Amino acid sequence: MITKHPLVLNITNSVTVNFVADALLAVGAAPVMSEDPTDATELVPIVNGICINIGTINTHQRSIIDKVLSTNSKSKITLDPVGAGATATRTKACLDILATGKVNLIRGNASEISSLAGKNHSTRGVDSTESTLSVKDSAFYLATEYKCIVVVSGEVDLLTDGKNMSRTYNGSALMPKITGTGCVLSAFLTAVISDHEVSLADLTQAVAYYGYMGEIAESLAKGTGTFKERFLDALYQIKVSEVQENLRIEML
């Protein structure tokens, strides 16, 4: 799935930065992190993808994001709108990023996607209180409005490119019980779209594969601590071609 060892710049939250870096290495990508506006801007021309995660948004991070987005780049860009809808600060930051027209992929939970589309929503911190299927109109709107692909994560994952939709049904109940599986998914999908031109069908397969790695990890884990270890092991050891028949995908 990832063959060209893409270099992915992560402007991400401080809670999950190590998990994100380790996961990108496990799937064959190269992570680079930056917490300085000048440094991040200098990295933009040499990276293949940029993952923007607002999980611990602050004014300093906003300055980094603004600098990066104002720099000419052919890199694919993902927005992970962590907690959008929980505060006006988070929502405005995401809408400002989307307004640049440079985002290729939005990956969030149902409440985050709903809030970005301006719909009524119910958000509990950074956790969703809505189902993915209930926000399909919001996902379609965002994909159409910002000319990007939208991935709505949850018990059932929903994807759309503004023309077609798909669903995936793989995953583990332990995934939301450890911090960072959503952040890692956003970084992983950034690596996928940075590796080559990707269709909705390809991204759907990537999301299903990611969920199935969670299923494998759960079968081997003793709890949430070992689940994280087994999950990284699965990402490193198992290729999508080896588990194709286990991916539960519905193209709509």
Side-chain angles (χ1 to χ4, degrees), residues 150-167:
V150 177
V151 178
V152 192
S153 298
E155 186 174 349
V156 175
D157 302 302
L158 176 73
L159 298 86
T160 181
D161 59 3
K163 297 178 181 178
N164 300 294
M165 286 192 174
S166 62
R167 296 173 186 164

Side-chain angles (χ1 to χ4, degrees), residues 9-152:
L9 170 61
N10 297 272
I11 305 169
T12 190
N13 75 72
S14 57
V15 179
T16 62
V17 61
N18 288 343
F19 191 15
V20 168
D22 287 343
L24 284 174
L25 288 169
V27 298
V32 60
M33 278 64 176
S34 183
E35 296 183 351
D36 178 82
T38 302
D39 174 66
T41 302
E42 291 176 349
L43 286 168
V44 169
I46 65 172
V47 299
N48 306 108
I50 302 170
C51 185
I52 299 173
N53 177 310
I54 66 154
T56 50
I57 191 72
N58 54 54
T59 54
H60 179 67
Q61 189 186 61
R62 280 298 307 269
S63 69
I64 298 173
I65 293 170
D66 291 343
K67 284 278 192 180
V68 165
L69 291 177
S70 65
T71 303
N72 290 330
S73 171
K74 295 182 179 180
S75 299
K76 301 294 179 59
I77 299 176
T78 295
L79 170 64
D80 188 334
V82 181
T87 68
T89 298
R90 290 172 184 264
T91 305
K92 184 179 185 304
C94 292
L95 292 176
D96 288 346
I97 292 167
L98 290 172
T100 66
K102 294 187 175 183
V103 173
N104 303 101
L105 174 68
I106 305 171
R107 202 293 311 166
N109 65 36
S111 291
E112 293 160 354
I113 296 303
S114 179
S115 70
L116 293 183
K119 305 293 185 181
N120 292 330
H121 60 277
S122 176
T123 302
R124 182 174 178 269
V126 298
D127 297 323
S128 179
T129 56
E130 301 183 46
S131 71
T132 56
L133 301 183
S134 70
V135 299
K136 62 180 182 179
D137 290 342
S138 294
F140 188 87
Y141 164 77
L142 290 174
T144 303
E145 179 72 12
Y146 296 107
K147 298 179 176 58
C148 65
I149 294 177
V150 177
V151 178
V152 192

